[in-house]
Amino acid sequence: MNRDFKNLEEDIRNHIEEEVAENVARGLAPKEARYEALKKFGNLLRVQEDSRAIWLPIWLEQLFQDCRYATRTYRRNKLFSAAVVLTIALGIGLNTAMFSVVNAVLLRPLPFPDPERLVAYYDGISAVKAEPFKSGIIGADFAEWRAHAKSFQYLAGYQYQDTTLATATEANRVRSIVTAGDFWPLTGVKLALGRFLPGSESAEGVILSHRAFQRQFGGDTRVIGMTVVLGGRTRMITGVLPADFRFLFPQDRSGFDWPEPDAYVPSPPLLRWDRSRVFIVGKLNTGATAPAALAELRGIQQTNLASYPDRWFAGVDRMLLQPLRERLTGSARQALLILQAAGFFVLLIACANIANLLLARTSARRREISIRVALGAGKERVIRQFFAEGLLLAMFGALAGLLLANALVKTFSILGPAVNPRMSEVAIDVRVLAFTVAVTLLSALLFCIGPVAVLWRKDSRLAVTNRGCPANDGLVRLNAHRLLVAAELAMAVVLLAGAGLMAKSFLILHASIPGFEPARTLILRMSFTKQPYKARGPLISKLDQILTGIESLPGVQFAGIAEKQSYLLQTASGRPAIVDRFDEFLVSPGYFPAVGMRLIAGRWLVPGDAPDAAVINETFARRAFGALDPIGREIAKLGRAVRVVGVVANLKYQNLDAEPGPELFRGYAHNIAGLPAISIVARVKGDPSAIAAAARSRIRAIEPQESIYGIQTLADALSDSIAPRRFNLVLLVSFAAIALLMAIVGIYGVVSYSVTQRTREIGVRLALGAPPWSVTSMLIKQGMGFCLAGILAGLAGAHGLTRWIAGMLYAVESNDPSVMASVAALLLTVAFLACAIPASRATRTDPLLSLRHD
Amino acid sequence: MSIRTDAPRVELLQGTLDLLILQTLLPGRAHGNAIAKAIERNSEDVLQIEQGSLYPALHRLIKRGWIAAEDGISENNRKAKYYRLTPKGRKQLTIETSKWDKLAQAIGRILGPAREGGTS
């Protein structure tokens, strides 16, 4: 350490010898002289400690001592230590895992240069509320913005297309991004292979994701310059993105997942982007603010609109800019914060349980503490000892908790992208570890406060006595136990109420609809990429062959095909023009029964229908025609009229989470064209996976060239569509279950403890002739008293808190009485059992034995 | 500090021990016992320091770099550690002294009228 520090003892000894010598010189006897010198010097040990403390914080030294002592104590109480470490590990593990999600999704900056300057443009039309307008800007607008806006360093537009990436040997369904403007400079990405070509707006190039490069080209670095067919168009590979590049920009969640794009192509000349959804992202100049940039864009757009008077636009006041990170996080923010709060509740309950255990042990350790005090340990030293012990427990708990968190984080990152685009980044990093440390310290503090407070109160009476303390002393501690358990119960009620509400939403979402049997509905997807199928004749005949082949499979009841397309604009005749986004399906007649749709007006499509015959769903009918009868009416769709022949009931077969949007169905025979990507839907009887295999080989036999992919049941596809909801539900239900379990353990522990404490009293009662049942019921009544208080407090808390999860519920009020009542009933039952079991055990002992216990 | 009743003595104000040590070391180096003695003597035995409390103070001053320790032989021919002022300590002494003067004057000014009128 330090020379001065090392010589301290010697220096002090010399000092005292000097003093002794002087005293002797003054004529004192040697013994007297030494005594005087020591008296004058003061407390030798204290001086040494204080001087050393200048160099080495003494508390650190004592902490080591305390920890050594604590380790010895815990080694003697293995069961106790294991219980505590396990409880705290659960609490810390869950919170760490939860925080790693919060960190990845909400806190970590986007992996682009200057991420705080990135903004996303949108039209301010909420996707959640069913607003009739969905807009997009057209290429001309974007070109004007880019030419005139001064607030942006970069402005980029993009669209996505789900299409087919084909090589000579293999075709895959991919999401491709059509980019315009400064997309690549904005991302700041450096290509792993190849380079960005200048003047790329006209180039027939394509940049591949690292994943596609690995999957379809085996990571062969000679791919640059090779040609592929993307969506029927031959393109040359000009670059490969690095493995860590992620497309973290808004995409409509139109599919069942949030796919990572695999191909990036430059856009055709911008003016050809017409009436389609264009996403705009920008990077602000340093010093520019989002509101100022928005004001500038609105000004430019105002001028634009003046030059196209007949064009529809949502309105400049609907134009909005939002920091890109917020846009990506979306509604996940609230859910994650709520789950993190729920995690804290679990941790608090865990701490309360541990505090209960420690409190009980404090009384058992009375004698030990008294001895330490008698030997000269100060009050704060004993209390520090308690904190050190708590800290040690919390640390072991945290280590075990990190193992748990690590396992959870791995699961999360697999579930990842379906829940949130940034979920795949979930990992335990420095920030998460810092959080874990903070939570560990906090929990150590929390579960030590109780025992320390009890010690503090009694400090004056800490004396070595043979046994226990005054009777009311135990009562004080028992009240502390009860308070903790009541608090646990209250928190468990809140968690269970939240979980119950979400579970009820989930059940409603999954409620069965007559005729709709997603578990027995099989979907296969298939893309046509080969040249002959560009012509309609060969395509239709091949489709018919496939359809017949599937229908004739044993176990298949109905089969149909559909090609789905999305359109933006349509006008209903006889009504004011409306603008809306809708899905058009080109279907074979068998598609309706295969999916399980129900006709509510008009008729189904039949083979041989006119090309313009269309069936629409309820949403479409309502938006386009209101109260009018839609049958026989015309819809002008991109200039060509279609005629409504039937209306089907709304059916959530694309996305469970929201009411279906407008849908329109037409016959495929006259309308399907180009190289389509189709879904083959089959209603089956029997094992879907066996039939899926049979269907696959049947199609192979009919069409060996084109690939089949994405085989799953409709039920699986739908469950993907509610992945975020399921993620929230699973987590909240697990948290609530753990909370309930811990609360039960807490109640059981406290009632058992009070029974043990009162063995003598119970013995006396029994000996004086009290019937056992009356003693049992007294114990249960006293136990249920605080349980009831906790449950009531919890219901009150739930009443106030559950409105925060209203946004995560579906068709359930946040104060749903049936859920609240079930939660209360469940907790009352388990609380009763947890009280009754230890209480009934108390009276089973022989009164004489109980009396002798003391 | 322990309570001594044998003489009318004054306990040190918090933080003044450092200043006194620095002042004592101004003429030259001294060992622990000599420092304690010098403080008592120079205050005409009004200030009585518990000798032990000197040592934490000395170590604090070493840590701050205001004094340094070196080995030597005491007048009684005993090995002793000698403490001397460093240039930094010398500067600090000036600062501390002027601070003290200001404080003493200020307190004096406040107490002044009370002393005049309150001695009856």
Side-chain angles (χ1 to χ4, degrees), chain A residues 369-392:
Chain A
I369 295 161
S370 307
I371 291 169
R372 289 185 57 137
V373 171
L375 288 179
K379 183 162 142 185
E380 71 281 352
R381 186 68 208 277
V382 172
I383 284 167
R384 197 141 32 124
Q385 164 71 31
F386 265 77
F387 277 118
E389 290 181 11
L391 200 62
L392 202 72

Side-chain angles (χ1 to χ4, degrees), chain A residues 3-5 7-8 10-12 14-19 21-22 37 39-43 46-47 50-51 54-55, chain B residues 4 31-33 36-37 40 48 50-56 59-60 62-63 69 74-76 78-81 83:
Chain A
R3 218 160 33 89
D4 305 300
F5 167 67
N7 293 336
L8 179 67
E10 200 189 332
D11 198 17
I12 290 174
N14 287 331
H15 179 121
I16 290 168
E17 290 307 323
E18 195 92 0
E19 192 70 28
E22 274 178 37
K39 198 171 119 192
K40 199 168 178 194
F41 192 84
N43 188 337
R46 176 86 181 272
V47 167
D50 285 355
S51 307
I54 303 287
W55 301 105
Chain B
R4 287 158 191 263
H31 56 79
N33 198 337
K37 288 272 153 38
E40 284 173 16
Q48 180 84 29
E50 188 182 281
Q51 295 190 346
S53 65
L54 201 59
Y55 285 85
H59 282 267
R60 191 161 54 238
I62 292 175
K63 196 180 179 197
S74 76
E75 312 86 68
N76 298 347
R78 220 179 286 279
K79 243 180 73 186
K81 198 176 283 278
Y83 301 91

